Tab-separated table of all heavy atoms in Angstrom:
chain	number	residue	atom	x	y	z
A	31	ALA	N	-6.573	7.927	4.746
A	31	ALA	CA	-5.552	7.233	3.928
A	31	ALA	C	-5.632	5.756	4.287
A	31	ALA	O	-5.632	5.389	5.470
A	31	ALA	CB	-4.136	7.785	4.198
A	32	MET	N	-5.663	4.916	3.262
A	32	MET	CA	-5.736	3.461	3.499
A	32	MET	C	-4.748	2.791	2.508
A	32	MET	O	-4.447	3.257	1.422
A	32	MET	CB	-7.147	2.941	3.317
A	32	MET	CG	-8.110	3.545	4.346
A	32	MET	SD	-9.735	2.794	4.326
A	32	MET	CE	-9.467	1.234	5.168
A	33	TYR	N	-4.159	1.670	3.025
A	33	TYR	CA	-3.092	1.004	2.337
A	33	TYR	C	-3.285	-0.486	2.258
A	33	TYR	O	-3.866	-1.083	3.173
A	33	TYR	CB	-1.761	1.229	3.186
A	33	TYR	CG	-1.497	2.622	3.638
A	33	TYR	CD1	-2.169	3.210	4.694
A	33	TYR	CD2	-0.491	3.384	2.990
A	33	TYR	CE1	-1.923	4.519	5.089
A	33	TYR	CE2	-0.229	4.702	3.413
A	33	TYR	CZ	-0.924	5.200	4.458
A	33	TYR	OH	-0.643	6.507	4.844
A	34	TRP	N	-2.794	-1.064	1.138
A	34	TRP	CA	-2.646	-2.496	1.065
A	34	TRP	C	-1.181	-2.866	0.992
A	34	TRP	O	-0.408	-2.233	0.227
A	34	TRP	CB	-3.350	-3.057	-0.192
A	34	TRP	CG	-4.813	-3.245	-0.084
A	34	TRP	CD1	-5.783	-2.605	-0.809
A	34	TRP	CD2	-5.524	-4.120	0.781
A	34	TRP	NE1	-7.035	-3.012	-0.440
A	34	TRP	CE2	-6.891	-3.966	0.514
A	34	TRP	CE3	-5.133	-5.096	1.741
A	34	TRP	CZ2	-7.894	-4.670	1.209
A	34	TRP	CZ3	-6.124	-5.789	2.448
A	34	TRP	CH2	-7.487	-5.611	2.132
A	35	TYR	N	-0.794	-3.848	1.772
A	35	TYR	CA	0.513	-4.393	1.790
A	35	TYR	C	0.492	-5.916	1.533
A	35	TYR	O	-0.452	-6.569	1.930
A	35	TYR	CB	1.210	-4.221	3.165
A	35	TYR	CG	1.610	-2.833	3.535
A	35	TYR	CD1	0.725	-1.972	4.203
A	35	TYR	CD2	2.865	-2.357	3.289
A	35	TYR	CE1	1.056	-0.701	4.559
A	35	TYR	CE2	3.216	-1.014	3.648
A	35	TYR	CZ	2.300	-0.247	4.306
A	35	TYR	OH	2.658	1.024	4.649
A	36	LYS	N	1.548	-6.412	0.933
A	36	LYS	CA	1.711	-7.855	0.786
A	36	LYS	C	2.944	-8.202	1.657
A	36	LYS	O	3.993	-7.540	1.587
A	36	LYS	CB	1.957	-8.196	-0.657
A	36	LYS	CG	2.330	-9.618	-0.928
A	36	LYS	CD	2.677	-9.876	-2.402
A	36	LYS	CE	3.085	-11.289	-2.712
A	36	LYS	NZ	3.394	-11.454	-4.146
A	37	GLN	N	2.821	-9.299	2.412
A	37	GLN	CA	3.906	-9.716	3.275
A	37	GLN	C	4.181	-11.212	3.104
A	37	GLN	O	3.347	-12.046	3.393
A	37	GLN	CB	3.663	-9.361	4.733
A	37	GLN	CG	4.890	-9.613	5.650
A	37	GLN	CD	4.641	-9.293	7.078
A	37	GLN	OE1	3.501	-9.290	7.540
A	37	GLN	NE2	5.708	-9.028	7.832
A	38	LYS	N	5.356	-11.545	2.730
A	38	LYS	CA	5.860	-12.928	2.705
A	38	LYS	C	6.430	-13.277	4.054
A	38	LYS	O	6.850	-12.399	4.793
A	38	LYS	CB	6.888	-13.123	1.567
A	38	LYS	CG	6.332	-13.001	0.175
A	38	LYS	CD	5.593	-14.284	-0.232
A	38	LYS	CE	5.510	-14.449	-1.685
A	38	LYS	NZ	4.782	-15.698	-2.107
A	39	ALA	N	6.524	-14.596	4.296
A	39	ALA	CA	7.002	-15.036	5.588
A	39	ALA	C	8.400	-14.528	5.910
A	39	ALA	O	9.307	-14.560	5.080
A	39	ALA	CB	6.995	-16.537	5.640
A	40	LYS	N	8.544	-13.992	7.122
A	40	LYS	CA	9.815	-13.511	7.670
A	40	LYS	C	10.354	-12.349	6.837
A	40	LYS	O	11.594	-12.125	6.854
A	40	LYS	CB	10.848	-14.657	7.768
A	40	LYS	CG	10.386	-15.732	8.709
A	40	LYS	CD	11.527	-16.716	9.014
A	40	LYS	CE	11.060	-17.863	9.873
A	40	LYS	NZ	10.598	-17.437	11.147
A	41	LYS	N	9.503	-11.640	6.158
A	41	LYS	CA	9.913	-10.468	5.366
A	41	LYS	C	9.091	-9.281	5.779
A	41	LYS	O	8.020	-9.421	6.353
A	41	LYS	CB	9.710	-10.747	3.885
A	41	LYS	CG	10.692	-11.746	3.276
A	41	LYS	CD	12.104	-11.178	3.275
A	41	LYS	CE	13.053	-12.090	2.548
A	41	LYS	NZ	14.451	-11.518	2.557
A	42	PRO	N	9.565	-8.081	5.519
A	42	PRO	CA	8.755	-6.887	5.833
A	42	PRO	C	7.599	-6.768	4.879
A	42	PRO	O	7.635	-7.306	3.752
A	42	PRO	CB	9.764	-5.741	5.694
A	42	PRO	CG	10.781	-6.226	4.761
A	42	PRO	CD	10.876	-7.720	5.005
A	43	PRO	N	6.587	-6.024	5.266
A	43	PRO	CA	5.490	-5.747	4.320
A	43	PRO	C	5.990	-4.938	3.138
A	43	PRO	O	6.823	-4.059	3.234
A	43	PRO	CB	4.512	-4.910	5.163
A	43	PRO	CG	4.875	-5.161	6.573
A	43	PRO	CD	6.322	-5.390	6.554
A	44	GLU	N	5.396	-5.219	1.951
A	44	GLU	CA	5.697	-4.452	0.738
A	44	GLU	C	4.434	-3.717	0.345
A	44	GLU	O	3.329	-4.270	0.211
A	44	GLU	CB	6.013	-5.448	-0.412
A	44	GLU	CG	7.241	-6.338	-0.186
A	44	GLU	CD	7.387	-7.412	-1.278
A	44	GLU	OE1	6.770	-7.191	-2.377
A	44	GLU	OE2	8.028	-8.380	-1.066
A	45	LEU	N	4.608	-2.443	0.169
A	45	LEU	CA	3.440	-1.590	-0.195
A	45	LEU	C	2.915	-1.984	-1.605
A	45	LEU	O	3.701	-2.171	-2.547
A	45	LEU	CB	3.875	-0.109	-0.191
A	45	LEU	CG	2.763	0.874	-0.422
A	45	LEU	CD1	1.699	0.851	0.680
A	45	LEU	CD2	3.333	2.306	-0.537
A	46	MET	N	1.613	-2.066	-1.688
A	46	MET	CA	0.955	-2.295	-3.022
A	46	MET	C	0.208	-1.088	-3.511
A	46	MET	O	0.453	-0.612	-4.571
A	46	MET	CB	-0.029	-3.468	-2.847
A	46	MET	CG	0.568	-4.776	-2.389
A	46	MET	SD	-0.659	-6.029	-2.127
A	46	MET	CE	-1.237	-6.388	-3.804
A	47	PHE	N	-0.751	-0.564	-2.673
A	47	PHE	CA	-1.596	0.510	-3.080
A	47	PHE	C	-1.747	1.500	-1.919
A	47	PHE	O	-1.743	1.062	-0.725
A	47	PHE	CB	-2.984	0.021	-3.497
A	47	PHE	CG	-3.022	-0.981	-4.617
A	47	PHE	CD1	-3.210	-2.326	-4.356
A	47	PHE	CD2	-2.821	-0.565	-5.938
A	47	PHE	CE1	-3.265	-3.195	-5.400
A	47	PHE	CE2	-2.865	-1.455	-6.982
A	47	PHE	CZ	-3.052	-2.824	-6.675
A	48	VAL	N	-1.990	2.784	-2.253
A	48	VAL	CA	-2.339	3.740	-1.242
A	48	VAL	C	-3.531	4.529	-1.791
A	48	VAL	O	-3.531	4.975	-2.974
A	48	VAL	CB	-1.188	4.793	-0.971
A	48	VAL	CG1	-1.632	5.799	0.076
A	48	VAL	CG2	0.061	4.024	-0.501
A	49	TYR	N	-4.583	4.739	-0.953
A	49	TYR	CA	-5.679	5.570	-1.219
A	49	TYR	C	-5.595	6.755	-0.291
A	49	TYR	O	-5.421	6.601	0.884
A	49	TYR	CB	-7.007	4.833	-1.056
A	49	TYR	CG	-7.413	4.086	-2.283
A	49	TYR	CD1	-6.960	2.783	-2.469
A	49	TYR	CD2	-8.317	4.630	-3.161
A	49	TYR	CE1	-7.368	2.107	-3.585
A	49	TYR	CE2	-8.722	3.925	-4.321
A	49	TYR	CZ	-8.222	2.650	-4.496
A	49	TYR	OH	-8.636	1.944	-5.627
A	50	SER	N	-5.818	7.953	-0.843
A	50	SER	CA	-5.873	9.135	-0.036
A	50	SER	C	-7.148	9.866	-0.394
A	50	SER	O	-7.395	10.191	-1.605
A	50	SER	CB	-4.698	10.044	-0.322
A	50	SER	OG	-4.731	11.238	0.402
A	51	TYR	N	-7.999	10.099	0.580
A	51	TYR	CA	-9.341	10.699	0.364
A	51	TYR	C	-10.076	9.955	-0.753
A	51	TYR	O	-10.641	10.560	-1.653
A	51	TYR	CB	-9.178	12.202	0.061
A	51	TYR	CG	-8.578	12.978	1.182
A	51	TYR	CD1	-7.208	13.340	1.154
A	51	TYR	CD2	-9.265	13.379	2.251
A	51	TYR	CE1	-6.597	14.034	2.168
A	51	TYR	CE2	-8.722	14.074	3.313
A	51	TYR	CZ	-7.401	14.419	3.262
A	51	TYR	OH	-6.808	15.092	4.289
A	52	GLU	N	-10.047	8.647	-0.658
A	52	GLU	CA	-10.807	7.723	-1.501
A	52	GLU	C	-10.312	7.706	-2.930
A	52	GLU	O	-10.941	7.138	-3.822
A	52	GLU	CB	-12.308	8.022	-1.464
A	52	GLU	CG	-12.993	7.817	-0.150
A	52	GLU	CD	-12.827	9.001	0.790
A	52	GLU	OE1	-13.451	10.037	0.512
A	52	GLU	OE2	-12.068	8.928	1.806
A	53	LYS	N	-9.158	8.338	-3.182
A	53	LYS	CA	-8.591	8.323	-4.561
A	53	LYS	C	-7.279	7.532	-4.507
A	53	LYS	O	-6.453	7.736	-3.578
A	53	LYS	CB	-8.356	9.736	-5.040
A	53	LYS	CG	-9.612	10.471	-5.460
A	53	LYS	CD	-9.286	11.836	-6.003
A	53	LYS	CE	-10.466	12.550	-6.673
A	53	LYS	NZ	-11.727	12.392	-5.984
A	54	LEU	N	-7.055	6.730	-5.545
A	54	LEU	CA	-5.834	6.012	-5.628
A	54	LEU	C	-4.658	6.949	-5.861
A	54	LEU	O	-4.594	7.675	-6.836
A	54	LEU	CB	-5.935	4.933	-6.776
A	54	LEU	CG	-4.702	4.025	-6.917
A	54	LEU	CD1	-4.561	3.141	-5.706
A	54	LEU	CD2	-4.862	3.178	-8.181
A	55	SER	N	-3.733	6.938	-4.907
A	55	SER	CA	-2.563	7.848	-5.038
A	55	SER	C	-1.286	7.116	-5.402
A	55	SER	O	-0.341	7.755	-5.936
A	55	SER	CB	-2.416	8.682	-3.788
A	55	SER	OG	-2.176	7.858	-2.655
A	56	ILE	N	-1.189	5.902	-5.010
A	56	ILE	CA	0.000	5.118	-5.306
A	56	ILE	C	-0.388	3.660	-5.733
A	56	ILE	O	-1.199	3.040	-5.110
A	56	ILE	CB	0.957	5.036	-4.127
A	56	ILE	CG1	1.559	6.433	-3.841
A	56	ILE	CG2	2.089	4.033	-4.385
A	56	ILE	CD1	2.504	6.443	-2.643
A	57	ASN	N	0.189	3.251	-6.838
A	57	ASN	CA	0.082	1.862	-7.284
A	57	ASN	C	1.526	1.457	-7.545
A	57	ASN	O	2.147	1.942	-8.464
A	57	ASN	CB	-0.753	1.755	-8.578
A	57	ASN	CG	-0.777	0.302	-9.113
A	57	ASN	OD1	0.035	-0.531	-8.762
A	57	ASN	ND2	-1.732	0.062	-9.981
A	58	GLU	N	2.031	0.539	-6.733
A	58	GLU	CA	3.416	0.189	-6.836
A	58	GLU	C	3.627	-0.862	-7.907
A	58	GLU	O	4.218	-1.915	-7.695
A	58	GLU	CB	3.997	-0.314	-5.476
A	58	GLU	CG	4.038	0.704	-4.393
A	58	GLU	CD	5.240	1.601	-4.571
A	58	GLU	OE1	5.500	2.104	-5.659
A	58	GLU	OE2	5.928	1.867	-3.568
A	59	SER	N	3.141	-0.550	-9.146
A	59	SER	CA	3.322	-1.475	-10.283
A	59	SER	C	2.803	-2.868	-9.932
A	59	SER	O	3.476	-3.854	-10.306
A	59	SER	CB	4.772	-1.517	-10.712
A	59	SER	OG	5.252	-0.214	-11.023
A	60	VAL	N	1.676	-2.905	-9.316
A	60	VAL	CA	1.084	-4.229	-8.970
A	60	VAL	C	0.375	-4.840	-10.193
A	60	VAL	O	-0.291	-4.090	-10.920
A	60	VAL	CB	0.075	-4.023	-7.828
A	60	VAL	CG1	-0.591	-5.344	-7.398
A	60	VAL	CG2	0.783	-3.401	-6.608
A	61	PRO	N	0.524	-6.103	-10.377
A	61	PRO	CA	-0.147	-6.743	-11.526
A	61	PRO	C	-1.667	-6.545	-11.493
A	61	PRO	O	-2.287	-6.407	-10.429
A	61	PRO	CB	0.162	-8.267	-11.353
A	61	PRO	CG	1.438	-8.285	-10.521
A	61	PRO	CD	1.336	-7.048	-9.648
A	62	SER	N	-2.256	-6.456	-12.673
A	62	SER	CA	-3.673	-6.126	-12.796
A	62	SER	C	-4.588	-7.209	-12.207
A	62	SER	O	-5.790	-6.984	-12.087
A	62	SER	CB	-4.027	-5.863	-14.239
A	62	SER	OG	-3.764	-7.026	-14.998
A	63	ARG	N	-4.067	-8.358	-11.887
A	63	ARG	CA	-4.908	-9.337	-11.228
A	63	ARG	C	-5.301	-8.953	-9.849
A	63	ARG	O	-6.184	-9.581	-9.214
A	63	ARG	CB	-4.220	-10.758	-11.279
A	63	ARG	CG	-2.856	-10.770	-10.577
A	63	ARG	CD	-2.220	-12.163	-10.813
A	63	ARG	NE	-0.949	-12.304	-10.082
A	63	ARG	CZ	0.210	-12.051	-10.617
A	63	ARG	NH1	0.267	-11.618	-11.918
A	63	ARG	NH2	1.326	-12.254	-9.975
A	64	PHE	N	-4.676	-7.928	-9.301
A	64	PHE	CA	-5.050	-7.279	-8.091
A	64	PHE	C	-5.734	-5.973	-8.427
A	64	PHE	O	-5.134	-5.090	-9.059
A	64	PHE	CB	-3.874	-7.026	-7.179
A	64	PHE	CG	-3.146	-8.244	-6.707
A	64	PHE	CD1	-2.087	-8.787	-7.425
A	64	PHE	CD2	-3.496	-8.846	-5.497
A	64	PHE	CE1	-1.408	-9.900	-6.969
A	64	PHE	CE2	-2.841	-9.983	-5.058
A	64	PHE	CZ	-1.816	-10.478	-5.814
A	65	SER	N	-6.953	-5.782	-7.971
A	65	SER	CA	-7.685	-4.573	-8.282
A	65	SER	C	-8.222	-3.952	-6.974
A	65	SER	O	-9.123	-4.497	-6.326
A	65	SER	CB	-8.865	-4.872	-9.203
A	65	SER	OG	-9.644	-3.761	-9.440
A	66	PRO	N	-7.702	-2.821	-6.575
A	66	PRO	CA	-8.190	-2.181	-5.318
A	66	PRO	C	-9.451	-1.337	-5.557
A	66	PRO	O	-9.695	-0.877	-6.704
A	66	PRO	CB	-6.994	-1.323	-4.925
A	66	PRO	CG	-6.437	-0.894	-6.223
A	66	PRO	CD	-6.604	-2.032	-7.172
A	67	GLU	N	-10.163	-1.164	-4.475
A	67	GLU	CA	-11.360	-0.343	-4.536
A	67	GLU	C	-11.569	0.357	-3.194
A	67	GLU	O	-11.417	-0.327	-2.194
A	67	GLU	CB	-12.584	-1.173	-4.920
A	67	GLU	CG	-13.858	-0.354	-4.962
A	67	GLU	CD	-15.099	-1.282	-4.940
A	67	GLU	OE1	-14.995	-2.475	-4.497
A	67	GLU	OE2	-16.186	-0.828	-5.371
A	68	CYS	N	-11.919	1.618	-3.206
A	68	CYS	CA	-12.179	2.343	-1.973
A	68	CYS	C	-13.573	2.936	-2.088
A	68	CYS	O	-13.702	4.098	-2.484
A	68	CYS	CB	-11.134	3.372	-1.702
A	68	CYS	SG	-11.216	4.141	-0.035
A	69	PRO	N	-14.634	2.227	-1.719
A	69	PRO	CA	-15.986	2.715	-1.916
A	69	PRO	C	-16.357	3.916	-1.040
A	69	PRO	O	-17.169	4.773	-1.445
A	69	PRO	CB	-16.867	1.529	-1.519
A	69	PRO	CG	-15.922	0.358	-1.434
A	69	PRO	CD	-14.581	0.873	-1.184
A	70	ASN	N	-15.746	3.982	0.125
A	70	ASN	CA	-15.972	5.131	1.049
A	70	ASN	C	-14.789	5.265	1.950
A	70	ASN	O	-13.834	4.455	1.927
A	70	ASN	CB	-17.279	5.006	1.761
A	70	ASN	CG	-17.355	3.746	2.643
A	70	ASN	OD1	-16.528	3.554	3.502
A	70	ASN	ND2	-18.370	2.903	2.396
A	71	SER	N	-14.867	6.261	2.824
A	71	SER	CA	-13.678	6.563	3.659
A	71	SER	C	-13.361	5.496	4.669
A	71	SER	O	-12.284	5.511	5.274
A	71	SER	CB	-13.881	7.918	4.356
A	71	SER	OG	-14.988	7.900	5.169
A	72	SER	N	-14.311	4.547	4.923
A	72	SER	CA	-14.056	3.572	5.948
A	72	SER	C	-13.682	2.211	5.376
A	72	SER	O	-13.296	1.315	6.139
A	72	SER	CB	-15.323	3.401	6.823
A	72	SER	OG	-15.659	4.621	7.446
A	73	LEU	N	-13.875	2.045	4.120
A	73	LEU	CA	-13.808	0.696	3.530
A	73	LEU	C	-12.780	0.642	2.423
A	73	LEU	O	-12.664	1.503	1.575
A	73	LEU	CB	-15.204	0.342	3.013
A	73	LEU	CG	-15.498	-1.072	2.603
A	73	LEU	CD1	-15.188	-2.038	3.738
A	73	LEU	CD2	-16.937	-1.189	2.186
A	74	LEU	N	-12.042	-0.467	2.365
A	74	LEU	CA	-11.087	-0.714	1.342
A	74	LEU	C	-11.192	-2.174	0.920
A	74	LEU	O	-11.190	-3.033	1.792
A	74	LEU	CB	-9.654	-0.426	1.849
A	74	LEU	CG	-8.513	-0.515	0.817
A	74	LEU	CD1	-8.631	0.576	-0.239
A	74	LEU	CD2	-7.188	-0.392	1.554
A	75	ASN	N	-11.270	-2.401	-0.379
A	75	ASN	CA	-11.349	-3.760	-0.846
A	75	ASN	C	-10.166	-4.041	-1.769
A	75	ASN	O	-9.586	-3.166	-2.369
A	75	ASN	CB	-12.637	-3.983	-1.720
A	75	ASN	CG	-13.938	-3.746	-0.879
A	75	ASN	OD1	-13.970	-4.193	0.265
A	75	ASN	ND2	-14.914	-3.107	-1.449
A	76	LEU	N	-9.875	-5.307	-1.882
A	76	LEU	CA	-8.849	-5.786	-2.832
A	76	LEU	C	-9.494	-6.968	-3.585
A	76	LEU	O	-9.702	-8.012	-2.985
A	76	LEU	CB	-7.560	-6.181	-2.152
A	76	LEU	CG	-6.416	-6.561	-3.049
A	76	LEU	CD1	-5.988	-5.367	-3.911
A	76	LEU	CD2	-5.220	-7.063	-2.283
A	77	HIS	N	-9.754	-6.756	-4.849
A	77	HIS	CA	-10.394	-7.774	-5.696
A	77	HIS	C	-9.269	-8.599	-6.365
A	77	HIS	O	-8.354	-8.073	-6.870
A	77	HIS	CB	-11.289	-7.139	-6.741
A	77	HIS	CG	-12.369	-6.273	-6.131
A	77	HIS	ND1	-13.339	-6.772	-5.271
A	77	HIS	CD2	-12.574	-4.972	-6.240
A	77	HIS	CE1	-14.122	-5.778	-4.907
A	77	HIS	NE2	-13.705	-4.654	-5.443
A	78	LEU	N	-9.489	-9.923	-6.288
A	78	LEU	CA	-8.479	-10.864	-6.743
A	78	LEU	C	-9.010	-11.702	-7.887
A	78	LEU	O	-10.128	-12.184	-7.784
A	78	LEU	CB	-8.035	-11.809	-5.570
A	78	LEU	CG	-7.804	-11.132	-4.220
A	78	LEU	CD1	-7.575	-12.202	-3.163
A	78	LEU	CD2	-6.618	-10.184	-4.281
A	79	HIS	N	-8.217	-11.846	-8.914
A	79	HIS	CA	-8.682	-12.664	-10.055
A	79	HIS	C	-7.491	-13.281	-10.730
A	79	HIS	O	-6.516	-12.595	-11.057
A	79	HIS	CB	-9.469	-11.811	-11.018
A	79	HIS	CG	-9.802	-12.536	-12.295
A	79	HIS	ND1	-10.506	-13.727	-12.309
A	79	HIS	CD2	-9.592	-12.222	-13.584
A	79	HIS	CE1	-10.677	-14.133	-13.514
A	79	HIS	NE2	-10.156	-13.266	-14.345
A	80	ALA	N	-7.577	-14.593	-11.004
A	80	ALA	CA	-6.506	-15.266	-11.767
A	80	ALA	C	-5.156	-15.106	-11.107
A	80	ALA	O	-4.140	-14.831	-11.750
A	80	ALA	CB	-6.456	-14.797	-13.230
A	81	LEU	N	-5.138	-15.370	-9.768
A	81	LEU	CA	-3.887	-15.235	-9.068
A	81	LEU	C	-2.943	-16.430	-9.346
A	81	LEU	O	-3.390	-17.467	-9.788
A	81	LEU	CB	-4.106	-15.117	-7.562
A	81	LEU	CG	-4.899	-13.855	-7.128
A	81	LEU	CD1	-4.771	-13.679	-5.592
A	81	LEU	CD2	-4.352	-12.590	-7.814
A	82	GLN	N	-1.672	-16.189	-9.056
A	82	GLN	CA	-0.668	-17.206	-9.249
A	82	GLN	C	-0.187	-17.756	-7.885
A	82	GLN	O	-0.388	-17.064	-6.865
A	82	GLN	CB	0.536	-16.564	-9.978
A	82	GLN	CG	0.207	-15.922	-11.317
A	82	GLN	CD	-0.317	-16.937	-12.287
A	82	GLN	OE1	0.301	-17.988	-12.513
A	82	GLN	NE2	-1.497	-16.738	-12.856
Side-chain angles (χ1 to χ4, degrees):
Chain A
M32 296 187 77
Y33 310 77
W34 280 116
Y35 290 88
K36 174 183 178 180
Q37 187 180 24
K38 290 283 202 179
K40 298 191 184 299
K41 289 292 186 181
E44 299 172 20
L45 184 64
M46 300 175 71
F47 302 104
V48 180
Y49 274 84
S50 178
Y51 298 100
E52 296 83 70
K53 287 184 169 39
L54 183 65
S55 61
I56 292 178
N57 176 343
E58 292 283 45
S59 303
V60 178
S62 60
R63 57 186 184 267
F64 295 90
S65 176
E67 178 195 22
C68 189
N70 58 58
S71 60
S72 301
L73 192 56
L74 184 67
N75 298 319
L76 186 63
H77 303 298
L78 315 173
H79 174 54
L81 294 194
Q82 303 298 307

